[in-house]
Amino acid sequence: MAWDAEVAVVGAGAAGLTLAHRLATLPSPLRVLLVGAPDGPLRAPERTWCWWEEPGGELDGALAARWSRVRVHGTDGRPLDRELAPFVYKMLRSRDFERWVAARLDAAPSVRRVEAVVDEVRDDAGGAVVRGVCAKGRPVVWRARWAFDSRPAAALPPARTTLLQHFRGWFVRCDAPALNPAVAELMDFRTPQPDRGLSFGYVLPLSDREALVEYTEFSPAVLDDAAYDAALRHYTGAVLRLPRFRVLSTEQGVIPMTDGRFPRRAGAAVFRIGTAGGATRPATGYTFAAVRRQSRAVAAAFAAGRRPVPPAPYPARALAMDAAMLRALATGRVAGADVFTGLFRHVPAERLLRFLDGRTGPAEDVMVGVRTPVAPMLRTVAELPWLRWRTDRSRQPAPLGRER
């Protein structure tokens, strides 16, 4: 059969762009079709991606900011500063990432970019077929040997526990210097805490006058716009005591936090990547680093002539620990603010960041685990095997405003 491409990548967000770029840089580049959504409601809004890695990464030239120090405020108001060496916390705007990838794909004759609303990606005659409607309203069909689909799943998978990480952020510019651009406020728990789950402020300073300031909750349900704005007014005023400022722009989104398992295969030749393929860490919402790991692994499989199945983004041990943490938060057995504050207070920053990335070994996981409330966590672990896996159709994935 004559394929339109060897690889079809559906979706031009973080996962799709990253994979297309990796495939374009292989020693023997594959013919890649990258299908992105046209302007409209299906195109993801402007958003921010944050992650940590060593200095000198390939994306450093496109970053909006970076920090070698972070701060956590506990509910008691005490600040806890941590140096992240050997890591750096990095912030990337989606528009800058899109430009960075586009410049490289434009120089790669093996990649073809098209726009369409994709309705179907499935196995077909020894490969995969992608069907949709182009921006002009005409039906389109492409066939490829392999397809990688990053579109949000139509429904969350069955799970024992599902919370939502939901947030709204303001990009602010203060009338007077009020911020320390050398320190990112990773979690500020001086916000009113819900009975179950947690809330925190998040401050990424771009200068001494400008920052992204967000209000975030881990809880069962999202808020309305008025409630988010009220929380941000309280946080910027009563907590941060910022001088008068202007809101330059906003970002908002919802990240599913679930112990459900996202299948990475949708057929013999169709795979899911990104959040749809389980790249979101269940207990934190971090996604971007796992997306990059998945893409590197898929590209390496192609280079080695192996079947390009995306690997599990996190080890089973990490997912089991996340399942226990989610359940403990959802039942109110642990105070989430105290748990995360305690981890940053007692666990070395380098080890904790590797733990949050799923890159620690069993012994290190135990050393992190004993810094959580042991009795309620053990009770939760014992309970998990007896819980039913349920499908909650009231909590569907939503377009992300931020992928950590």
Side-chain angles (χ1 to χ4, degrees):
M1 174 179 289
W3 309 108
D4 296 295
E6 292 168 273
V7 180
V9 179
V10 178
L17 288 174
T18 301
L19 180 58
H21 171 246
R22 293 292 178 209
L23 297 179
T25 57
L26 287 174
S28 299
L30 303 166
R31 288 187 301 120
V32 176
L33 177 72
L34 176 61
V35 187
D39 288 335
L42 293 181
R43 175 168 285 190
E46 173 72 19
R47 54 217 185 276
T48 304
W49 298 317
C50 294
W51 77 104
W52 48 81
E53 66 177 2
E54 292 80 1
E58 64 179 350
L59 294 171
D60 277 14
L63 297 177
R66 72 197 78 186
W67 303 269
S68 59
R69 293 170 57 205
V70 298
R71 177 175 296 144
V72 173
H73 271 93
T75 55
D76 59 5
R78 286 193 296 160
L80 178 65
D81 283 26
R82 284 287 180 264
E83 294 287 342
L84 299 183
F87 301 118
V88 177
Y89 194 61
K90 301 182 177 184
M91 174 185 178
L92 178 65
R93 303 293 299 270
S94 60
R95 65 189 179 200
D96 296 327
F97 179 64
E98 289 165 4
R99 292 192 193 106
W100 187 90
V101 174
R104 285 148 182 83
L105 295 186
D106 289 346
S110 62
V111 179
R112 175 187 172 200
R113 303 187 67 175
V114 298
E115 290 188 348
V117 175
V118 173
D119 300 318
E120 182 182 37
V121 183
R122 62 173 176 81
D123 284 342
D124 180 71
V129 63
V130 178
R131 299 181 186 274
V133 178
C134 73
K136 295 182 179 180
R138 295 194 301 269
V140 288
V141 179
W142 297 286
R143 288 179 170 81
R145 178 65 188 91
W146 306 100
F148 294 84
D149 189 356
S150 66
R151 295 174 303 157
L156 294 177
R160 295 165 297 187
T161 308
T162 297
L163 293 175
L164 301 175
Q165 180 179 160
H166 51 102
F167 50 87
R168 172 174 283 189
W170 289 342
F171 282 90
V172 302
R173 177 178 293 153
C174 300
D175 288 353
L179 300 159
N180 181 358
V183 182
E185 186 83 47
L186 199 61
M187 287 182 164
D188 187 344
F189 294 110
R190 294 175 294 174
T191 52
Q193 296 298 309
D195 293 335
R196 300 183 179 187
L198 56 89
S199 74
F200 58 89
Y202 182 58
V203 184
L204 300 181
L206 306 176
S207 70
D208 60 0
R209 293 173 184 255
E210 294 189 21
L212 169 61
V213 182
E214 287 193 352
Y215 173 78
T216 299
E217 279 192 16
F218 298 0
S219 61
V222 301
L223 308 179
D224 59 26
D225 289 349
Y228 287 119
D229 285 340
L232 279 166
R233 285 194 297 269
H234 173 266
Y235 183 57
T236 55
V239 178
L240 297 180
R241 300 188 182 279
L242 293 182
R244 189 171 64 177
F245 61 83
R246 288 187 295 129
V247 178
L248 305 178
S249 60
T250 64
E251 67 173 33
Q252 183 168 335
V254 182
I255 301 173
M257 304 176 69
T258 172
D259 66 353
R261 298 293 183 258
F262 290 82
R264 301 186 305 281
R265 298 198 69 153
V270 179
F271 308 101
R272 287 194 168 274
I273 56 174
T275 294
T280 298
R281 182 77 193 258
T284 65
Y286 280 103
T287 304
F288 193 69
V291 160
R292 299 179 74 203
R293 289 197 299 270
Q294 269 192 333
S295 296
R296 284 193 294 267
V298 169
F302 273 118
R306 303 192 308 269
R307 185 173 292 271
V309 182
Y314 306 100
R317 186 177 64 256
L319 296 178
M321 297 179 75
D322 280 9
M325 177 58 71
L326 282 177
R327 185 66 182 176
L329 290 173
T331 58
R333 287 184 190 137
V334 300
D338 293 341
V339 170
F340 282 98
T341 302
L343 290 176
F344 275 93
R345 178 167 288 127
H346 298 296
V347 180
E350 186 266 347
R351 177 182 297 159
L352 181 57
L353 294 183
R354 285 191 296 107
F355 171 80
L356 294 176
D357 248 354
R359 294 190 289 136
T360 45
E364 291 177 300
D365 288 349
V366 171
M367 287 187 280
V368 173
V370 297
R371 294 301 185 179
T372 64
V374 175
M377 293 301 294
L378 288 177
R379 176 185 172 190
T380 302
V381 169
E383 175 188 66
L384 284 174
W386 307 100
L387 297 176
R388 292 179 58 189
W389 296 76
R390 301 174 182 272
T391 300
D392 186 349
R393 298 192 178 277
S394 67
R395 299 176 180 174
Q396 302 306 308
L400 301 184
R402 164 171 47 78
E403 288 183 7
R404 288 181 163 186

